[in-house]
Amino acid sequence: MGRTVIVAGGGASGLMAAIAAARAGAEVTVLEGMERCGKKLLLTGNGRCNLTNLDPELPGKYYGTGATLAEQVIRGFGTFQTLSFFEELGLLTQEKNGYVYPYSAQAGAVLEVLLTELRRLKVKLKFGEKIESAEKKNGEWQVKTATWRYTAQALILACGSKAAPGTGSDGSGYTLANMLGHTVLPPRPALAPLVCRGNVFSQLAGVRCRGTVSLFQKKGGQKLLLKQDTGELQWTKYGVSGIVVFQLSRFVSENENDGGLYLEIDLLPDFDEDYLKALLHRQAARLPKERTASVLSGFLHEKLIPVVLKAAGISVKAVCGDLSDGQILKLADVSKHFCLEVKETKSFDVCQVCSGGVDCREVSAESLQSLKHDGLFFAGELLDVDGPCGGYNLQWAWSSGYTAGSAATTENGNFGK
C-alpha cells in the first residue's frame, strides 16, 4: 500500500495535488469545506476558465516571496506539461492571443475531467469537512474537522487565499499554517478593480475604452512609476476596472498605506501627442461653428468627451472656432494624461487572487514541503505567490499542485531527487 495523503482544499491546486499523489500510488483523501469542489474554478475566465498562458516568459512573471520559487516549480511542470495533462484527460483546448481555454469555452468541462480522473483513481472526496486543527503525532498527521478525525502520513494545505470568500477561500488556511508555526504575510487584494476619488464616475459607469494605464506614486517630491499596462479599461460607478486595471492593483495594495497613488490614463494610446495636436487643430479649423465636442467625437466615447473637455477647462457650450492654441494643446494633454486619484482596491469579495500568504522562504522550492515540518506541503494561493491576469495564477495552481502532490508520496518529500 502507498503512503496516505490528506489534501486540504478542493480547488484547482488541491485537485491537481490529489491526482498527482494518487497517480504515484498514494491513498488520497480530499477534505473540502464547501458542499462541492471547484467553485472558484468555475468562475475563472468569466466562466470560460483561462487554463494557462503561452507566454514564453511566464515562469518569471510572478510576485511575492515565492517569485523565484514559482519560477523553479513552473519550469519543472509548466505550460506544456499542463496542456499534455489535460489532453490526456480528454480536454480539448483553444488558444486566443496566448490565452488558453477549454474548446467548449466552459469552465465546467475542466472541473468535470478532473473529477472524473479522481473517481478513476479512487480518491476519496469529503465535502463539508472544514479542517479545524492539524498536528503531527507519532509520525502521522492528525487532522480534525467538526465531525471526524483523519490521519495520514502527509498533509497538503491547498486551502486558497481570501479572494472570493464565497467560493470557500475564507482565509482559514492561513490560520492553519500559522498554528503550525509558519509566517503568514498579510494578504491583500490583487487582480481587483480600483476605487478612485472624484465625481466623474456616475456619468461614465459602463463605458469601455482602450487605454494605457500608468500607476504613479508621489513620494519625496518625486513621481515614481509603479506599473503600466495597455488594454481595455472599464469605467465603474466607483472608479475603474478591467484586466488592464487588475494588472496594476497588487501595486496599489502594496503601497496604499504610503498614499500619493494616482493613475495617468492615455485614452488614445495608439496615437502620439504631436499627431493628436495636429488632428485637433485641423478639426477645430474645419468645424468652426460646431460645439467643442465635435473635435473629439471621432475618437473618444461620447460619454468621455464632456469629462475630458471639463478637465481641460473647456466649456461644452463653446464652439470650435473659439478654441485657442493653448486650449487645443491642453485638450491633447488631457487626452493623453487623464489623471485619477486612487483611494484603494476593491475588497476581497471581488478580487481574483491575493498577494501575501505563507512566507515561501519557509518552504522548499524543490518539493513545496515545509522547512518546519516533514510531511507538510503547500500548494496554490495559500503561498505568497501571485501572477498577472491571463492564466498565470491557474498555471501556478497546476504546477504547485502537481509538485506538492508528487513529493508528498515519497518518504523524504523530494520526488525525483
Side-chain angles (χ1 to χ4, degrees):
M1 182 181 292
R3 284 167 64 82
T4 51
V5 176
I6 289 174
V7 178
S13 63
L15 297 181
M16 175 61 94
I19 290 171
R23 283 184 172 185
E27 183 182 331
V28 183
T29 300
V30 177
L31 301 181
E32 167 57 47
M34 302 293 281
E35 71 281 1
R36 58 190 173 99
C37 287
K39 291 188 72 172
K40 189 172 182 181
L41 182 62
L42 293 174
L43 300 178
T44 57
N46 289 321
R48 294 182 298 152
C49 191
N50 186 184
L51 278 171
T52 185
N53 196 294
L54 300 183
D55 179 359
E57 303 299 321
L58 180 146
K61 293 285 183 74
Y62 294 84
Y63 308 110
T65 58
T68 301
L69 173 147
E71 181 171 5
Q72 182 172 331
V73 168
I74 290 172
R75 291 198 186 281
F77 187 90
T79 302
F80 174 78
Q81 291 88 347
T82 297
L83 294 178
S84 296
F85 169 82
F86 279 107
E87 183 179 2
E88 181 188 346
L89 297 189
L91 184 80
L92 298 179
T93 58
Q94 59 176 316
E95 177 265 337
K96 183 178 181 181
N97 300 322
Y99 292 48
V100 180
Y101 300 90
Y103 198 79
S104 65
Q106 291 185 303
V110 180
L111 180 59
E112 183 53 37
V113 297
L114 292 170
L115 293 176
T116 299
E117 181 67 358
L118 289 168
R119 289 193 294 268
R120 187 185 75 83
L121 293 168
K122 296 181 171 53
V123 171
K124 297 175 183 175
L125 290 174
K126 302 289 186 179
F127 301 116
E129 289 287 75
K130 186 174 180 178
I131 297 176
E132 296 180 345
S133 65
E135 59 179 337
K136 195 169 186 182
K137 283 186 176 181
N138 303 319
E140 282 195 324
W141 285 98
Q142 298 190 9
V143 175
K144 180 180 178 296
T145 68
T147 62
W148 201 253
R149 287 181 182 271
Y150 299 85
T151 61
Q153 292 162 297
L155 171 62
I156 302 173
L157 294 183
C159 313
S161 61
K162 290 184 72 174
T167 64
S169 297
D170 59 1
S172 58
Y174 299 138
T175 303
L176 287 173
N178 212 225
M179 288 169 59
L180 294 169
H182 274 274
T183 303
V184 176
L185 303 172
R188 300 185 180 94
L191 301 188
L194 297 180
V195 180
C196 300
R197 293 185 172 89
N199 56 5
V200 301
F201 302 109
S202 59
Q203 63 197 95
L204 293 179
V207 171
R208 295 170 182 257
C209 67
R210 178 170 163 77
T212 293
V213 186
S214 304
L215 175 65
F216 287 97
Q217 184 172 42
K218 293 177 183 176
K219 202 169 186 179
Q222 292 184 307
K223 175 182 175 181
L224 304 175
L225 176 64
L226 301 180
K227 185 68 175 176
Q228 182 182 82
D229 202 66
T230 300
E232 185 180 76
L233 176 70
Q234 298 174 27
W235 298 82
T236 68
K237 61 184 179 181
Y238 53 77
V240 286
S241 186
I243 291 177
V244 66
V245 171
F246 291 175
Q247 309 293 36
L248 277 59
S249 57
R250 80 168 317 276
F251 300 93
V252 172
S253 292
E254 193 173 71
N255 293 279
E256 65 183 0
N257 290 335
D258 298 329
L261 297 172
Y262 68 98
L263 301 177
E264 261 189 26
I265 303 174
D266 183 348
L267 296 168
L268 296 161
D270 300 307
F271 305 93
D272 66 36
E273 200 157 342
D274 287 338
Y275 173 83
L276 182 57
K277 290 173 185 175
L279 179 61
L280 291 172
H281 272 292
R282 186 166 70 245
Q283 282 290 87
R286 193 173 68 86
L287 304 168
K289 294 183 179 180
E290 295 291 327
R291 299 289 189 186
T292 49
S294 298
V295 298
L296 297 172
S297 62
F299 40 88
L300 285 183
H301 191 286
E302 61 181 353
K303 290 185 178 180
L304 274 168
I305 292 173
V307 173
V308 170
L309 286 169
K310 184 176 180 180
I314 298 170
S315 171
V316 293
K317 295 181 180 180
V319 294
C320 295
D322 293 336
L323 291 173
S324 67
D325 287 348
Q327 286 177 310
I328 288 177
L329 294 180
K330 180 64 175 176
L331 196 55
D333 179 68
V334 170
S335 298
K336 297 291 287 183
H337 307 280
F338 189 84
C339 290
L340 293 174
E341 185 182 354
V342 177
K343 181 181 179 183
E344 61 191 0
T345 64
K346 288 289 279 184
S347 69
F348 292 113
D349 290 340
V350 296
C351 72
Q352 294 187 6
V353 297
C354 292
S355 61
V358 174
D359 192 331
C360 290
R361 291 168 292 196
E362 300 173 354
V363 177
S364 164
E366 286 75 26
S367 62
L368 298 183
Q369 181 171 222
S370 164
L371 298 178
K372 295 176 177 286
H373 301 283
D374 289 341
L376 175 64
F377 300 83
F378 298 94
E381 290 181 42
L382 187 60
L383 289 162
D384 180 26
V385 174
D386 62 288
C389 194
Y392 295 81
N393 292 289
L394 262 183
Q395 182 59 60
W396 167 242
W398 310 132
S399 298
S400 60
Y402 176 83
T403 300
S406 300
T409 64
T410 64
E411 192 169 346
N412 61 6
N414 289 303
F415 71 101
K417 299 296 177 182

